Amino acid sequence: MQNVKLELKFSRILEKNIMKYANQVVEIHEDLHKKVNDKNEFLGWLELPTKYDKKEVEKIKKAAKKIQSDSEILVVIGIGGSYLGARAVIEALTHTFYNYLPNEQRKTPQILYVGNNLNPEYINDLIELIGNRDLSINVISKSGTTTEPAIAFRIFRELIENKYGLEEAQKRIYVTTDKKKGALKQIADKEKYTTFVIPDNVGGRYSVLTAVGLLPIATAGIDIDKLLEGARFAQGKYLDKNLKYNDCYKYAVARNILYEQDKNIEILVSYEPKLHYMIEWWKQLYGESEGKDKKGIYPTGAEFTTDLHSLGQYIQDGRRNLFETIINIEEYNSNIKVNQDEDNLDELNYLANKGLDYINKKAMEGTIEAHVEGGVPNIIINMDKLNEYTLGHLIYFFELACAMSGRILGINPFDQPGVEKYKTNMFILLGKPGYSKPKASVKIEETEKKSVTKPKSQRGRKKKVE
Ligand code: PA5
């Protein structure tokens, strides 16, 4: 069976130090599972792989088939947790150039995203790219009131209604939102759009394994049963509250130990360009869950070997407040060899007959060694292969580890109060009804200049009087 395994030997963390957290982990584990059905706790994702409504899964598959049969493009409208998971899985499991492939080769619709920014050029360019081609829309918003997707939906709803007329447009708009609340739910009810429900107790960034992620993922031709099966396997595996045998909780503990050592930036690294959006999804999951109360590891990402020629210098030699978590895919789905060349002017014959899988692995091993030697601990997550099953497992692994890690840190990993601040300011500036101007405009003061520490060589020397 294909698996996901944690390797801590390059993390410079001793097993005995991990095990110091054993009791705390049991307490948190029990608390999480005890509250899984509590409506106010947002813990529904814990049991989604085993408990997700089977009828909803069938409805998702049916809708995906219809979109595949009548649309060349699916426009996915959503932001944050209502968009990143779908994109992460689709990009990880389809052809690297999926959206660029000719239709006959791709066979399933192009998946294009909007409502994840407010940029007019992005939207105009997307409309131009769509041109006269057939499309459907999946608008996703749990609250149903988020500004970015709401604006995009207004624009694309008008576009699709003008193109097909009201009756046909109604059959091409799919809404994923709350069961009862929000403006989007009201619109969906009024217009009788096909609607999918985001369960009450599943927050945005933990929702990829609901219709939020599953409808676009299925439309791209990915086997959502296998994705859920992988997640189900992980759910069973990480029910073990004994830290000694639970890789997921060990990852959560290792991050906290490193954080205690002032390693407050975690770089999620992959040698697989297809994981670019998995890294983005992970950044959102961890950033929005843990960055609170002036605490938390700053989650960032890098793609190697690409970024070894940019961030690599900093990682090797810059401030030592970093650690890396590497997603290592053991076996690639395809390979290509370096051939022998008679002239060997590029001096690459030493690699003749070697596959790029081998070369990429050696780059990884060399980099891990260099970075660890340079003072950057490395945590490794080994995945046998990249497919629906292992990715489902990895998603569950990261979600559960995030909850555990956040609770060890002492914050609530399921809210995001900080996100409201920019929204309030933006609404005031835009004159949204109900939002009034602040009494005095915000004064941005220059940060007080701190005395810069002089280099050792200059310390203690008196200034020469001219
Ligand atoms: O994880 C979260 O809760 C957020 O990132 C939300 O997903 C994001 O803000 C979008 O919210 P909504 O789905 O309500 O439009």
Side-chain angles (χ1 to χ4, degrees), residues 78-84 140-150 176-177 198 203-207 212 284-285 288-289 414-416 419-420 423:
I79 195 165
S82 285
Y83 132 82
L84 282 164
I140 309 164
S141 176
K142 183 167 162 83
S143 63
T145 53
T146 308
T147 311
E148 291 89 338
T176 309
T177 191
I198 310 176
R205 55 191 176 275
Y206 295 85
S207 69
V212 169
Q284 194 239 351
L285 178 62
E288 225 172 54
S289 297
F414 308 117
D415 64 0
Q416 54 283 330
V419 181
E420 295 310 311
K423 287 189 194 165

Side-chain angles (χ1 to χ4, degrees), residues 28 37 62 78 122 154 157 169 234 270 372 399 402 424 439 445 453:
I28 297 172
N37 292 319
K62 203 169 143 208
Y122 181 97
R154 194 181 263 215
R157 192 177 145 200
S270 152
V372 173
E399 287 179 350
C402 184
T424 310
K439 284 188 196 94
E445 281 166 10
T453 318

Side-chain angles (χ1 to χ4, degrees), residues 70-129:
D70 67 12
S71 304
E72 215 178 295
I73 295 161
L74 174 67
V75 175
V76 176
I77 302 177
I79 195 165
S82 285
Y83 132 82
L84 282 164
R87 190 163 191 175
V89 175
I90 292 168
E91 301 215 350
L93 297 179
T94 58
H95 192 288
T96 303
F97 303 103
Y98 178 83
N99 272 336
Y100 302 98
L101 288 175
N103 288 347
E104 48 301 350
Q105 218 176 321
R106 196 182 50 247
K107 295 196 179 89
T108 41
Q110 264 185 333
I111 314 287
L112 303 172
Y113 305 89
V114 69
N116 54 62
N117 62 56
L118 288 167
N119 187 284
E121 268 189 61
Y122 181 97
I123 297 184
N124 276 324
D125 288 353
L126 182 64
I127 293 172
E128 199 180 306
L129 176 72

Side-chain angles (χ1 to χ4, degrees), residues 6 22 34 60 74 85 90 131 151 195 200 231 271 295 321-322 331 339 341 367 380 397 434 446 448:
L6 186 77
K34 195 173 71 200
I60 290 169
L74 174 67
I90 292 168
I151 291 176
T195 306
D200 284 343
Y271 286 74
K295 293 200 271 192
N321 57 347
L322 316 167
E331 193 190 327
N339 286 333
D341 182 89
T367 307
I380 319 235
F397 175 100
E446 200 184 339
E448 204 185 309

Side-chain angles (χ1 to χ4, degrees), residues 191-204:
E191 303 296 334
K192 299 196 172 48
Y193 296 141
T194 305
T195 306
F196 296 91
V197 175
I198 310 176
D200 284 343
N201 56 356
V202 179

